[in-house]
Amino acid sequence: ILIYFKYKNIYLMLLNSKKVDIGMPAKDFELKNVDNEIYTLNDIKKRNGFVIAFICNHCPYVKDIITRLVDDFNVLLKQDIGVVSIMPNDYKAYPEDSFENMQKFSNNNNFSFPYLFDCKQKVAKSYGAVCTPDFFCFDNSNKLFYRGRLDNVKFKANFLEREKSIINAYDKMIKENSIVTKQFSSMGCSIKWR
């Protein structure tokens, strides 16, 4: 079932991240960061694993969670978990997602982690990413153990008790060496493929 919603007089397609086999190995990449440095997977990995988030500048779902995402990623970094965000959209069709606008978006939202430009869309395809935001969480053996939402907060909703899904998944992995069995899909706009 495809769901469309209207945002600023544009109809956008809403997608859920698809199921991916737990245990999928991370795939290497070589992408330019907003500071013009090149990053690979080895530059991201830390002692307790790493998160790869596919996001973009223009998606209302990303804009809605971006403050919470930055806060949670800062918590993960303090726990020796690597974090990276990757922009996979067709930036020519969606100029708001250009590299220059990625630099502004990163700066305006106080990113303390790389924001990489997947201008050929190869990395997003290799991971099976489908929407923005889309999260892939790997353990310290480079194996996927969580593919799901950032948290339980609905789009544009006020929240009193926030369940930090990614942070909780890492807590369980690090402290108990076990995987969260109930994983809820991330939800957002479709990746804009060329």
Side-chain angles (χ1 to χ4, degrees):
I1 297 172
L2 296 179
I3 300 170
Y4 291 86
F5 69 98
K6 194 172 183 181
Y7 178 76
K8 293 186 178 178
N9 294 320
I10 300 171
Y11 283 94
L12 300 170
M13 185 167 58
L14 177 64
L15 291 178
N16 287 324
S17 60
K18 61 185 180 182
K19 296 258 188 238
V20 173
D21 290 339
I22 296 299
M24 175 186 88
K27 295 157 183 72
D28 203 2
F29 52 78
E30 192 172 300
L31 297 173
K32 184 166 74 167
N33 186 29
V34 289
D35 65 1
N36 289 303
E37 297 293 322
I38 300 297
Y39 278 74
T40 66
L41 186 61
N42 278 334
D43 297 317
I44 305 304
K45 297 190 302 189
K46 292 196 179 294
R47 184 172 54 90
N48 289 318
F50 55 95
V51 180
I52 297 174
F54 291 92
I55 65 170
C56 69
N57 310 325
H58 89 269
C59 171
Y61 276 82
V62 173
K63 289 178 179 178
D64 190 53
I65 70 161
I66 198 63
T67 301
R68 304 192 314 268
L69 181 149
V70 171
D71 288 347
D72 286 4
F73 278 16
N74 286 333
V75 169
L76 294 172
L77 284 167
K78 288 175 185 168
Q79 296 175 342
D80 216 8
I81 297 161
V83 295
V84 65
S85 52
I86 298 176
M87 203 300 293
N89 278 350
D90 178 359
Y91 62 97
K92 291 181 180 173
Y94 293 83
E96 195 177 338
D97 291 333
S98 71
F99 185 71
E100 294 74 22
N101 285 323
M102 287 174 60
Q103 291 173 313
K104 291 175 188 171
F105 190 75
S106 171
N107 188 52
N108 291 343
N109 290 290
N110 302 309
F111 282 20
S112 57
F113 47 87
Y115 189 20
L116 307 181
F117 191 31
D118 187 11
C119 60
K120 296 181 180 175
Q121 303 186 314
K122 288 182 179 176
V123 177
K125 286 179 181 172
S126 75
Y127 277 85
V130 295
C131 58
T132 54
D134 204 348
F135 300 97
F136 294 77
C137 300
F138 294 87
D139 62 19
N140 59 7
S141 300
N142 299 351
K143 303 292 185 194
L144 184 77
F145 74 93
Y146 178 82
R147 169 81 185 285
R149 66 191 185 185
L150 178 74
D151 58 28
N152 62 334
V153 180
K154 304 286 187 221
F155 181 60
K156 297 285 186 190
N158 292 323
F159 56 95
L160 297 173
E161 291 190 31
R162 179 174 169 240
E163 184 259 305
K164 300 176 182 181
S165 306
I166 290 178
I167 288 176
N168 292 347
Y170 271 103
D171 282 347
K172 193 168 179 66
M173 170 60 66
I174 294 166
K175 293 173 183 169
E176 303 171 20
N177 196 29
S178 62
I179 294 171
V180 173
T181 52
K182 197 166 188 180
Q183 300 187 11
F184 297 91
S185 296
S186 185
M187 183 183 290
C189 299
S190 59
I191 288 177
K192 307 305 186 267
W193 304 109
R194 279 197 286 282

